[in-house]
Amino acid sequence: MKICHKIIFAIFLVSLSMYSFPQKIVVAHRGASGYLPEHTLQAKAMAFAMGADYIEQDLVMTRDDQVVVIHDITLDRTSDVALQYPGRAREDGRHYVIDFSLEELKTLNMREGERTVDGERQQIYPNRFPSGSSTFRIATFSEEIELIQGLNYSMNKSVGIYPEIKSPEFHLAEGKDLSAAVLKVMKEYGYNNKRDKVFLQTFSWSEIKRLREILMPEAEMDLNLVMLAGTEEEYQWMFNREGMREVGRYADGFGPTKSLIIDTSLDKERVIISDLVKLAHDNGMQVHPYTFRSDTRGIPDYAESFDDLLRYFYFEAGVDGIFTDFPDQAVKFLSNQ
Ligand code: CA
């Protein structure tokens, strides 16, 4: 009898936990960007095939008001713009997406990220896809949504999108309302409310409030919003009970850099998990930290392996999802639990 009671109690606990917490998710950070150049349609198709629950889009606006999928507001790290458009850099030496038309941007060869070291171009992640190989093009937000929705149709799946408004203040200063343009595209493709599989994210607190209070009501939309946060001074006010309560008034999710949950400088003997996840949960927010990488310097000392790192976050810290460049590994990890 005792064992029987224990089993019933265990089933009760399992069903309770299934009821209380939605399924843990994997967000493909810039697509399957550990394997193919970030934000290319190829990297997105691969992330889809790997079983990611959501696929991320970083969004920037062109000179002719098109919304394109690219991480930086500049083109230098991930394209051959300097070769193709000499003389088009700003005074800081960088080529800005916003200074180019979509037609011009479509001529660029997108590639694995590079940086300049001592005057030489160098691939940032040397073990990733060889920079400059094959042919990749920048995609518009619409093109990427059509890819994901098309695959959802042909593969009978329901993979979500996870768009980010990049540098909204920069865009507004340049006379462009990126958020309004992004909402318009999403509405055209049927993303309207919190039941739709979309999380709209930004690092700008003022933009989260503008989206919630002005832009979404005007567009008759009510999407899930995610407030991103880094370790910078501007976010410090959020990291306590009052701060999380204020963020939770506007956001449905909280996306901190992972060191805000477990300090990267810790070692195995002393792993301390911050109370941010609990505070976010207490205020009705899901928690999706970034960015989980299994390659060069991606695994902090306190974790024994990438799986161990994932275990700490999904099951010790209790996060609801993670952003990763290696969606296949996170999907496999979760499916083995
Ligand atoms: Ca992003």
Side-chain angles (χ1 to χ4, degrees):
M1 273 308 275
K2 271 187 179 169
I3 289 171
C4 184
H5 278 137
K6 273 184 186 166
I7 290 169
I8 289 168
F9 186 62
I11 291 168
F12 169 74
L13 280 183
V14 167
S15 56
L16 188 72
S17 68
M18 283 166 71
Y19 175 77
S20 304
F21 304 103
Q23 205 183 345
K24 293 187 185 291
I25 61 164
V26 175
V27 183
H29 181 249
R30 312 182 196 174
S33 58
Y35 305 103
L36 279 164
E38 65 184 49
H39 285 318
T40 59
L41 291 180
Q42 289 89 335
K44 305 306 170 79
M46 191 177 202
F48 192 105
M50 286 174 163
D53 301 291
Y54 285 80
I55 298 175
E56 191 203 24
Q57 300 78 35
D58 288 308
L59 301 173
V60 177
M61 202 173 238
T62 69
R63 189 176 67 198
D64 49 346
D65 298 338
Q66 302 296 304
V67 179
V68 289
V69 185
I70 184 168
H71 179 270
D72 304 350
I73 58 172
T74 54
L75 296 155
D76 303 86
R77 181 176 57 89
T78 56
S79 83
D80 62 348
V81 66
L83 285 175
Q84 289 208 48
Y85 293 96
R88 294 280 297 274
R90 290 195 181 185
E91 277 187 0
D92 62 4
R94 295 170 181 273
H95 300 77
Y96 285 75
V97 176
I98 210 163
D99 295 334
F100 291 80
S101 67
L102 179 61
E103 193 182 346
E104 288 173 329
L105 293 169
K106 282 286 188 182
T107 69
L108 298 176
N109 292 299
M110 306 308 289
R111 64 189 179 196
E112 183 59 37
E114 291 181 350
R115 64 185 160 208
T116 304
V117 180
D118 299 330
E120 298 234 339
R121 295 294 283 174
Q122 196 180 78
Q123 187 165 333
I124 296 169
Y125 292 100
N127 295 326
R128 296 192 179 185
F129 194 88
S131 182
S133 298
S134 195
T135 304
F136 302 98
R137 294 281 174 256
I138 199 167
T140 64
F141 187 29
S142 302
E143 287 170 326
E144 180 158 335
I145 291 175
E146 288 180 19
L147 177 83
I148 293 168
Q149 292 192 344
L151 284 168
N152 277 339
Y153 181 77
S154 63
M155 296 187 74
N156 194 25
K157 304 234 317 190
S158 59
V159 171
I161 61 170
Y162 210 129
E164 178 181 346
I165 312 286
K166 298 303 286 191
S167 305
E169 289 83 7
F170 167 82
H171 281 91
L172 287 172
E174 296 275 331
K176 298 195 187 294
D177 194 335
L178 175 60
S179 291
V182 167
L183 289 180
K184 187 162 176 280
V185 173
M186 281 196 282
K187 194 164 190 176
E188 277 169 23
Y189 286 96
Y191 299 99
N192 289 303
N193 58 53
K194 292 186 182 187
R195 288 185 303 279
D196 296 319
K197 289 199 76 172
V198 52
F199 288 99
L200 180 60
Q201 47 166 342
T202 181
F203 276 103
S204 167
W205 172 238
S206 61
E207 200 69 359
I208 284 280
K209 289 196 287 188
R210 201 168 76 94
L211 280 160
R212 178 64 73 206
E213 291 182 321
I214 300 168
L215 296 179
M216 290 205 300
E218 274 178 6
E220 298 181 329
M221 296 166 80
D222 183 27
L223 305 173
N224 289 306
L225 297 181
V226 173
M227 181 68 217
L228 301 171
T231 54
E232 297 85 355
E233 182 61 34
E234 66 179 289
Y235 303 109
Q236 296 299 319
W237 65 268
M238 298 176 179
F239 308 148
N240 55 54
R241 185 163 293 279
E242 292 69 37
M244 278 289 108
R245 188 180 303 134
E246 177 66 3
V247 174
R249 288 179 58 213
Y250 298 88
D252 308 280
F254 182 59
T257 185
K258 63 184 187 297
S259 69
L260 288 169
I261 297 177
I262 302 176
D263 189 330
T264 311
S265 67
L266 295 173
D267 59 38
K268 300 194 235 306
E269 320 306 320
R270 209 172 58 90
V271 177
I272 301 163
I273 296 169
S274 79
D275 59 358
L276 263 187
V277 178
K278 183 182 185 309
L279 291 176
H281 283 166
D282 287 349
N283 288 288
M285 291 185 282
Q286 294 192 46
V287 182
H288 302 158
Y290 63 91
T291 302
F292 291 76
R293 300 185 172 101
S294 65
D295 58 355
T296 322
R297 295 181 300 280
I299 303 169
D301 288 345
Y302 62 78
E304 290 184 357
S305 62
F306 191 57
D307 274 7
D308 195 36
L309 178 66
L310 295 176
R311 184 187 62 76
Y312 269 119
F313 278 81
Y314 277 122
F315 297 112
E316 301 277 334
V319 304
D320 307 284
I322 59 146
F323 287 88
T324 179
D325 293 359
F326 299 88
D328 56 332
Q329 296 181 38
V331 167
K332 187 168 171 231
F333 171 80
L334 285 179
S335 71
N336 286 339
Q337 301 308 307

